[in-house]
């Protein structure tokens, strides 16, 4: 499962510096708008201490963690929904990602220009969200016009879809994100129309507050949003230091907080496989069944699934081996209805 998180924000808020720190990929961080034109893509490991422990137990030759792709997307300005600046490119790039990480400038620095000439995090968030909502309004209006013809012909699916689209339209018109609308995604016509529209404000959003001190208390509106606080400049400096030097200076990275938070935001969890060849983390949606988890390894595993042996990673470590876990009764054999738990170590039978 290729997971992508788009790093967005106004120009000069620290997006590209954050991306550089996250991925150790050098990118252009010149202090002017639109220096990032094509989205840079970086693959970031999701930290997981379980892998090393299981690999040691299994005498594994290779460890493969699960990953998230971060995209550094061009800075957005007011009017992007109408094509201002690099608006069209921005919207096209962000439409392809699974989640949005919006970098918000909280720090003061007179040497780094702000596109609005003042520091106001709430305003900056609203500028980005308004441009996304305006783009979504255009998409919804076109969808309504198309569905109206089908509704007049008594197309039952279209009638159901129109209700969903109208609810989204009402939310957007009221200044709310499309994600605020409750939609039954188990209802196939509803799921189909939501997928088809690919609304920008339907995507989960995490806010990255670029601060001078991660311990600073922000106002209630900022604190209430799903967020991570980072001193992006410190994160960049830590890249150039050894672990020992960083400890001596009392400097600590908070990048893992962002990676883990992004993983959780997407409603994901991890199951594990371990053996002499490799110990590996696999990404699945929370609530996935055992056959659906098998499909993460190979598509055929879902259809040919017979059963699976599974054990919690810690219980496996405590037992000391797969056979010992079986002998002690902590390993269980599960069927097609089993709901996977985070940290399950699995062996599929197909």
């Amino acid at each position: 499962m290729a997971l992508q998180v788009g790093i967005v924000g106004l120009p000069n808020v620290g997006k590209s510096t954050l991306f550089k720190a996250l991925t150790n990929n050098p990118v252009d961080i010149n202090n002017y708008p639109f220096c990032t034109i094509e989205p840079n893509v970086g693959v970031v490991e999701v930290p997981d201490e379980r892998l090393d422990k299981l690999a040691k137990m299994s005498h594994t030759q290779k460890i493969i963690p699960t990953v998230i792709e971060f995209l550094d997307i061009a800075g957005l300005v007011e009017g992007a929904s109408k094509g201002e600046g690099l608006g069209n490119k921005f919207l096209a790039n962000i439409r392809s990602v699974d989640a949005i990480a919006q970098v918000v400038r909280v720090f003061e620095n007179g040497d780094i220009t702000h596109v609005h000439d003042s520091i106001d995090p709430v305003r900056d968030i609203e500028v980005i969200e308004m441009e996304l909502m305006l783009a979504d309004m255009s998409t919804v209006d076109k969808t309504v016009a198309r569905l109206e013809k089908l509704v007049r012909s008594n197309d039952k699916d279209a009638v159901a879809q129109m209700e969903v689209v109208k609810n989204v339209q009402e939310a957007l018109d009221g200044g709310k994100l499309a994600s605020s609308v409750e939609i039954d995604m188990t209802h196939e016509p509803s799921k189909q129309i939501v997928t088809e529209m690919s609304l920008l404000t339907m995507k989960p959003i995490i806010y990255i507050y670029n601060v001078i001190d991660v311990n600073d208390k922000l106002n209630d509106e900022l604190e209430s949003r799903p967020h991570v606080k980072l001193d992006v400049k410190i994160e960049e400096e830590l890249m150039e230091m050894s672990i020992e030097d960083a400890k001596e200076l009392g400097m600590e990275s908070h990048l893992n907080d962002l990676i883990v938070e992004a993983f959780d935001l997407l409603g994901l969890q991890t199951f594990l496989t371990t053996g002499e060849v490799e110990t590996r983390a696999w990404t699945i949606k929370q609530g996935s069944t055992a056959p659906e988890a098998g499909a993460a390894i190979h598509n055929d595993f879902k259809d040919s699934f017979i059963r699976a042996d599974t054990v919690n990673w810690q219980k496996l470590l405590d037992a000391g081996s797969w056979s010992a876990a079986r002998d002690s009764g902590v390993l269980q054999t599960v069927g097609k209805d089993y709901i996977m738990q985070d940290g399950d170590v699995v062996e599929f039978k197909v």
Side-chain angles (χ1 to χ4, degrees):
M1 183 183 294
L3 308 168
Q4 290 192 330
V5 177
I7 302 175
V8 306
L10 295 174
N12 302 332
V13 297
K15 300 185 314 302
S16 295
T17 306
L18 171 63
F19 179 84
K20 180 181 176 183
L22 269 170
T23 64
N24 287 326
N25 289 343
V27 292
D28 190 351
I29 52 174
N30 293 324
N31 182 29
Y32 59 87
F34 315 131
C35 67
T36 310
I37 296 179
E38 295 298 333
N40 294 283
V41 181
V43 179
V44 178
E45 294 183 4
V46 177
D48 193 338
E49 64 177 6
R50 300 172 297 190
L51 290 172
D52 289 332
K53 294 177 179 179
L54 288 170
K56 184 176 180 180
M57 181 198 74
S58 300
H59 306 290
T60 296
Q61 299 173 22
K62 181 169 58 175
I63 296 175
I64 305 177
T66 191
V67 298
I68 295 179
E69 288 184 4
F70 281 92
L71 279 70
D72 180 26
I73 298 176
L76 176 143
V77 295
E78 246 176 311
S81 58
K82 299 177 182 177
E84 295 293 330
L86 295 171
N88 291 332
K89 184 177 292 291
F90 173 93
L91 297 173
N93 289 333
I94 199 172
R95 201 175 295 279
S96 68
V97 302
D98 299 296
I100 298 169
Q102 182 180 341
V103 182
V104 182
R105 179 173 169 180
V106 180
F107 70 90
E108 298 272 359
N109 187 330
D111 294 330
I112 302 177
T113 60
H114 190 290
V115 71
H116 291 140
D117 297 321
S118 63
I119 306 302
D120 186 340
V122 174
R123 175 204 58 205
D124 292 353
I125 289 173
E126 290 174 348
V127 167
I128 297 285
E129 290 184 347
M130 180 53 68
E131 293 304 321
L132 299 181
M133 285 191 287
L134 288 170
D136 280 351
M137 287 178 187
S138 176
T139 300
V140 168
D141 289 345
K142 292 174 184 176
T143 304
V144 168
R146 180 179 63 80
L147 287 177
E148 282 175 342
K149 299 175 183 178
L150 296 173
V151 170
R152 285 196 294 270
S153 65
N154 295 319
D155 184 309
K156 291 182 179 179
D157 284 352
V159 172
Q161 290 175 340
M162 180 66 89
E163 182 178 353
V164 171
V165 175
K166 284 290 188 181
N167 287 339
V168 171
Q169 187 178 51
E170 182 179 350
L172 292 171
D173 288 344
K176 296 180 180 179
L177 305 180
S179 58
S180 67
V181 180
E182 290 189 17
I183 300 172
D184 181 5
M185 295 298 281
T186 64
H187 182 240
E188 196 57 38
S190 299
K191 179 180 179 180
Q192 181 182 349
I193 197 65
V194 168
T195 302
E196 180 183 306
M197 289 191 294
S198 186
L199 297 176
L200 303 175
T201 64
M202 191 68 78
K203 299 178 185 294
I205 302 175
I206 181 173
Y207 299 88
I208 304 167
Y209 299 137
N210 191 358
V211 298
I212 298 298
D213 187 343
V214 295
N215 296 312
D216 282 350
K217 176 75 173 176
L218 305 179
N219 67 48
D220 291 343
E221 184 169 352
L222 294 178
E223 292 284 359
S224 67
R225 298 170 183 264
H227 69 275
V228 170
K229 297 174 189 173
L230 295 174
D231 183 331
V232 174
K233 191 63 180 173
I234 290 294
E235 298 295 346
E236 183 183 31
E237 292 175 6
L238 283 168
M239 288 173 50
E240 312 298 330
M241 293 185 191
S242 67
I243 296 175
E244 292 75 19
D245 287 345
K247 284 183 178 179
E248 187 174 333
L249 293 170
M251 297 170 69
E252 179 184 4
S253 174
H254 292 269
L255 289 179
N256 282 351
D257 297 343
L258 169 58
I259 298 167
V260 172
E261 186 73 20
F263 198 72
D264 290 342
L265 185 70
L266 289 165
L268 303 172
Q269 66 184 38
T270 302
F271 74 88
L272 310 154
T273 54
T274 188
E276 291 186 4
V277 175
E278 68 175 33
T279 292
R280 183 164 183 165
W282 302 86
T283 302
I284 55 174
K285 287 285 187 183
Q286 293 172 7
S288 294
T289 62
E292 289 169 339
I297 297 176
H298 196 290
N299 287 335
D300 291 346
F301 277 25
K302 182 176 181 179
D303 295 330
S304 59
F305 178 90
I306 300 173
R307 66 184 186 278
D309 289 340
T310 180
V311 59
N312 173 268
W313 72 278
Q314 187 61 61
K315 291 181 178 179
L316 176 58
L317 286 177
D318 291 343
S321 69
W322 195 260
S323 59
R326 185 186 302 279
D327 293 342
S328 64
V330 295
L331 185 146
Q332 58 179 327
T333 299
V334 300
K336 294 181 177 180
D337 295 333
Y338 177 72
I339 303 299
M340 298 292 295
Q341 303 300 306
D342 187 69
D344 277 348
V345 185
V346 187
E347 185 177 285
F348 292 95
K349 309 293 184 181
V350 293

